[in-house]
Amino acid sequence: MSMLTTSSMELLSVVVLKERLEDVTTRLLNLGIFHPVDIRDIENELKGLSPLQIDREYADWDALETRTRELSRKMGVSPTAQKDIKEYTPVIIKDTLDGIESRLAPLAARKEELELDLKAKEAIFLQMKNYPLFSLKRDSVYSFLEISLGRIDERNMDVLHRSFKDMPHIIYPFRKDSGQVMSLFIGLRRDRIFMEKVFKDLGWEKIDYPKEPEALSKEVQEKIFLQMEQGRKDMEKAGEDMKSLGRDCRPALSSIQSFISMKRALLEAKKFSCATEKTILLSGWVPLEEKEKAVNEIRKIDSVSYLEAKDAEDVAIPREDIPVRLRHSQIFKPFELLINSYGIPRYGTIDPTIFVAVSFLLMFGAMFGDLGHGLVLCLSSLLFRKAGNEKVRQALSLIFYCGVSSAVFGVLYGSFFGFEFESVWIKPMEDILSIFKVSVFFGIGVISTGILINVVNALRDKDYIKAIFDKAGLIGGVLYWAAIGALSKLFIAKKDIPFSYLMFICAGLALLFLKPVIESFFRVREENKGMMVALIESTVDILEIGMGYLANTVSFIRIAAFALAHAGLFLAIFELSRIVNSSAGPFASFLVVILGNALIILLEGLVVTIQSLRLNYYEFFSKFFMTGKHEYKPLSI
């Protein structure tokens, strides 16, 4: 029964001296079972208490965490969680981070300088390549370039190169004459003053631009390529130096990050605390089975003045405000994704996860029954089983389960990638009436389960009127089952409807019609309406119940329809393959079969998943599901 209901919760309240609050919260965080709440939202007499002021402390730790993460990002390392957390003070953390930053700063500056230099050289080369030399002197287009054509003594060429080695530039020597070299110099306009000084010192003689532009020679292109390649290597070396520093600092950063995470978790717990002059009141939810562990741990602290545990049933708040904890083994964990997509089951209600696991897989397999397709889904999920986070792994597990169900129904139907073999059960296309009957009766079973869960939920809430008179209550269920029995006798067994069935139907209709009268005897009606209006509403409700149950039941025919569609798609693919074979040969025919199966897996697999969810959500959940507001999220280190 434990897996069929949400975990029972206890509200644990602790009064402790201010100086020992850290000890209590640390012990609770180590246990990882405490879901803190603001007790002022629960106990009206405590609304006058003041919250604990932690905004400044929270901001300080948040700033330190931001610095730690930023340093880790720059050095390309990821801090790892530490089991044994070392104690720090904010001052020690700041000093440690300052030391790391002082070592990182020159490396980061060097990398940034190399990166800017490389980008500038790449931009210059791109512009030189796209436009002939000397036509570059067009300020409106190249306003950031400084271009100079001149003549310099050949002996000063090396000095010219050395003078500009620390800034982006291109020197294109294209003609020698009597010891003089005619060159084109391209740099950045920001460096103009320095360029002019160097030119003056080295005797650079400016000359006019020729009328005809010259193309960029292969020799110069190779030279520029070598410069850019060297720039990339230098930049990679600077990056490796930063990563090396990151590896050296990783233990310290991991230790600091773990300690900061612990302090932030402590502050999250303190955020819900209330304060008096000398004490702190801390409250939160713990699972019933974990309560003794939490109580025993807290009682080890001598300064605890008061400790109280209340059952959730005794706390004066709506049940939807109590956090919900689902408790499943790893087998059923993936199906929680389907539940959470619809909503969180309200505290104290039946947990539908196990029912959904069974119904969803049966629906999917019945609509997508093929041994080959099932094996493809299984292998695909296993191939990526280690990818992504926990949610992704659960989704892959869900795909694996769907693959198993599809493969099982493939054996029952006798289908392997559309190629038929002897079936264990039936072949949908050869026994259409049977598959429709099975779908309808399966739907009746699902709807009946929803009715029973709704009745149980109402009884657990001690809402007996709802258990009996709700649209999915006991009377509605009896009417539904009697109507199903009567129609089965009439149309399937070809017999007269038994008188007892008619009695149940008439009695149920009468009770539903007289619901307002019965309610007036057992509880005060919420709305002050006249009895005649209430009876008219009862009549409308009866019609709505009848049409609703009919629509719910007929909806399950889609299981048979999609099973037939699955088989029909195979017929279409093989017919197309036969046509292609006669015109393009066996290879093209085989390719059609492969691509057709791939299309079915991707497209119809998605459609069948949506239909399976729809039947669960609208035909099953609509009968009983009550939504909670909060998922159980205990704080932990």
Side-chain angles (χ1 to χ4, degrees):
M1 183 67 180
S2 62
M3 291 180 64
L4 296 180
T5 59
T6 59
S7 290
S8 297
M9 306 298 289
E10 293 262 331
L11 182 64
L12 190 65
S13 298
V14 184
V15 178
V16 63
L17 295 176
K18 283 186 175 180
E19 58 268 20
R20 301 309 298 272
L21 176 62
E22 197 88 354
D23 293 340
V24 174
T25 49
T26 301
R27 288 174 186 266
L28 289 173
L29 287 174
N30 284 327
L31 290 175
I33 59 174
F34 189 72
H35 177 111
V37 292
D38 192 337
I39 192 64
R40 294 174 303 165
D41 295 334
I42 298 175
E43 303 287 351
N44 289 326
E45 60 269 22
L46 299 178
K47 286 189 180 294
L49 291 177
S50 302
L52 191 63
Q53 298 300 320
I54 60 168
D55 293 345
R56 179 64 182 273
E57 186 180 1
Y58 201 98
D60 291 341
W61 287 112
D62 194 51
L64 289 174
E65 183 179 44
T66 301
R67 281 188 66 188
T68 305
R69 291 188 182 278
E70 184 63 18
L71 275 173
S72 301
R73 184 192 64 78
K74 287 181 178 179
M75 294 186 291
V77 297
S78 298
T80 55
Q82 303 293 298
K83 187 175 181 181
D84 298 321
I85 298 178
K86 181 181 176 182
E87 287 286 333
Y88 290 93
T89 63
V91 174
I92 293 175
I93 292 177
K94 288 178 183 176
D95 291 342
T96 304
L97 297 180
D98 287 342
I100 295 174
E101 284 178 340
S102 65
R103 296 170 63 189
L104 176 64
L107 299 176
R110 173 64 177 160
K111 183 183 178 185
E112 183 179 4
E113 179 184 345
L114 290 168
E115 188 174 0
L116 290 174
D117 181 71
L118 178 61
K119 286 181 178 179
K121 286 182 177 178
E122 288 175 342
I124 291 172
F125 174 70
L126 181 63
Q127 291 158 2
M128 290 178 65
K129 188 175 180 181
N130 290 339
Y131 294 90
L133 293 179
F134 311 134
S135 69
L136 290 174
K137 192 64 178 178
R138 296 192 296 178
D139 295 340
S140 61
V141 180
Y142 300 101
S143 59
F144 71 94
L145 295 181
E146 182 66 25
I147 303 171
S148 179
L149 179 66
R151 189 181 290 110
I152 188 171
D153 193 295
E154 186 177 3
R155 292 170 297 182
N156 290 336
M157 284 296 292
D158 290 339
V159 180
L160 183 65
H161 281 293
R162 288 198 299 273
S163 298
F164 291 104
K165 67 181 180 67
D166 292 328
M167 61 181 62
H169 72 285
I170 295 293
I171 298 177
Y172 174 45
F174 55 89
R175 188 179 303 147
K176 292 182 182 180
D177 184 18
S178 302
Q180 296 285 311
V181 180
M182 184 180 290
S183 303
L184 180 70
F185 182 92
I186 303 176
L188 299 180
R189 181 151 295 184
R190 70 186 185 194
D191 302 320
R192 176 192 290 180
I193 296 175
F194 180 76
M195 289 165 52
E196 291 177 351
K197 182 178 182 302
V198 173
F199 287 159
K200 183 178 180 181
D201 293 342
L202 297 180
W204 177 275
E205 180 186 347
K206 287 189 177 182
I207 57 177
D208 294 332
Y209 287 85
K211 296 180 179 179
E212 295 296 328
E214 297 185 20
L216 189 64
S217 69
K218 185 176 181 180
E219 178 186 352
V220 173
Q221 287 191 48
E222 291 177 354
K223 181 179 178 181
I224 297 172
F225 274 131
L226 289 174
Q227 289 181 359
M228 290 192 296
E229 186 61 30
Q230 185 61 45
R232 291 189 188 95
K233 290 180 179 178
D234 292 341
M235 193 171 69
E236 290 174 2
K237 175 65 168 55
E240 285 299 321
D241 291 342
M242 292 175 64
K243 289 181 180 179
S244 178
L245 176 62
R247 287 190 290 270
D248 293 340
C249 298
R250 184 176 180 176
L253 290 172
S254 296
S255 182
I256 289 172
Q257 180 63 50
S258 296
F259 180 76
I260 293 175
S261 297
M262 181 191 73
K263 296 298 291 187
R264 284 172 59 88
L266 288 170
L267 290 170
E268 282 293 324
K270 292 178 183 178
K271 181 170 69 175
F272 297 94
S273 304
C274 302
T276 64
E277 186 177 348
K278 295 182 178 180
T279 62
I280 301 293
L281 173 58
L282 183 66
S283 299
W285 296 99
V286 296
L288 177 62
E289 58 268 24
E290 306 278 5
K291 181 192 72 173
E292 288 303 319
K293 185 192 299 185
V295 170
N296 292 336
E297 192 67 26
I298 294 171
R299 281 179 175 160
K300 294 178 183 178
I301 302 174
D302 297 333
S303 300
V304 174
S305 305
Y306 176 79
L307 190 150
E308 179 187 63
K310 279 187 179 181
D311 190 281
E313 308 292 333
D314 300 327
V315 180
I317 60 172
R319 287 199 171 190
E320 56 265 24
D321 288 330
I322 302 173
V324 176
R325 181 200 191 195
L326 304 179
R327 39 189 174 180
H328 300 121
S329 63
Q330 289 301 316
I331 295 176
F332 290 100
K333 273 287 182 183
F335 295 97
E336 289 183 11
L337 294 175
L338 306 182
I339 305 300
N340 293 334
S341 297
Y342 189 84
I344 306 170
R346 199 210 68 189
Y347 176 81
T349 60
I350 297 294
D351 176 7
T353 304
I354 295 177
F355 301 102
V356 169
V358 175
S359 64
F360 178 82
L361 292 181
L362 288 175
M363 292 177 194
F364 185 92
M367 289 188 277
F368 200 70
D370 184 273
L371 178 57
H373 291 179
L375 293 176
V376 168
L377 293 179
C378 291
L379 291 174
S380 300
S381 64
L382 292 175
L383 185 63
F384 300 102
R385 66 186 183 278
K386 293 184 179 179
N389 55 26
E390 181 62 24
K391 295 291 185 184
V392 173
R393 288 193 292 273
Q394 288 183 4
L396 290 172
S397 297
L398 201 57
I399 293 173
F400 178 82
Y401 292 149
C402 289
V404 172
S405 177
S406 179
V408 170
F409 274 90
V411 174
L412 295 176
Y413 292 163
S415 176
F416 181 78
F417 290 114
F419 296 97
E420 295 189 352
F421 57 89
E422 186 176 351
S423 64
V424 175
W425 181 31
I426 60 173
K427 290 188 179 297
M429 295 296 286
E430 296 176 6
D431 202 350
I432 296 176
L433 186 59
S434 294
I435 196 85
F436 271 92
K437 286 181 181 178
V438 171
S439 298
V440 171
F441 280 105
F442 175 77
I444 292 169
V446 171
I447 294 170
S448 299
T449 303
I451 294 170
L452 293 175
I453 293 175
N454 185 58
V455 171
V456 172
N457 283 340
L459 292 175
R460 288 170 65 87
D461 289 343
K462 298 180 180 178
D463 189 346
Y464 304 112
I465 294 293
K466 179 182 177 181
I468 297 172
F469 291 99
D470 190 68
K471 293 177 182 179
L474 190 58
I475 294 177
V478 170
L479 278 172
Y480 179 62
W481 299 321
I484 293 295
L487 293 174
S488 299
K489 288 284 186 181
L490 186 62
F491 294 107
I492 298 178
K494 305 295 183 181
K495 297 180 180 179
D496 292 335
I497 301 174
F499 181 71
S500 57
Y501 285 25
L502 296 176
M503 284 184 59
F504 275 116
I505 293 172
C506 292
L509 292 173
L511 288 172
L512 287 178
F513 179 73
L514 296 174
K515 175 185 174 183
V517 179
I518 298 171
E519 279 186 331
S520 65
F521 281 104
F522 290 96
R523 67 181 183 186
V524 178
R525 291 179 58 79
E526 295 178 359
E527 299 180 16
N528 187 18
K529 298 178 180 177
M531 187 58 66
M532 184 58 67
V533 174
L535 292 174
I536 293 173
E537 286 185 353
S538 294
T539 304
V540 174
D541 287 343
I542 290 171
L543 294 173
E544 185 181 347
I545 290 171
M547 290 186 292
Y549 279 122
L550 177 62
N552 294 153
T553 306
V554 171
S555 264
F556 282 89
I557 291 177
R558 71 187 66 218
I559 296 176
F562 275 96
L564 295 173
H566 195 65
L569 285 172
F570 284 131
L571 293 177
I573 288 170
F574 287 126
E575 180 62 22
L576 181 61
S577 173
R578 185 187 64 78
I579 295 172
V580 171
N581 183 48
S582 61
S583 59
F587 178 76
S589 174
F590 181 68
L591 191 61
V592 168
V593 173
I594 293 177
L595 293 177
N597 273 276
L599 183 64
I600 290 175
I601 293 173
L602 294 174
L603 184 59
E604 194 188 2
L606 177 63
V607 173
V608 165
T609 301
I610 293 171
Q611 293 301 323
S612 300
L613 286 174
R614 186 211 173 280
L615 288 171
N616 273 290
Y617 288 167
Y618 293 101
E619 321 305 341
F620 183 44
F621 282 14
S622 61
K623 297 288 176 289
F624 65 89
F625 200 95
M626 290 182 282
T627 306
K629 293 180 180 178
H630 309 291
E631 186 179 355
Y632 172 67
K633 293 182 179 179
L635 292 178
S636 61
I637 297 175

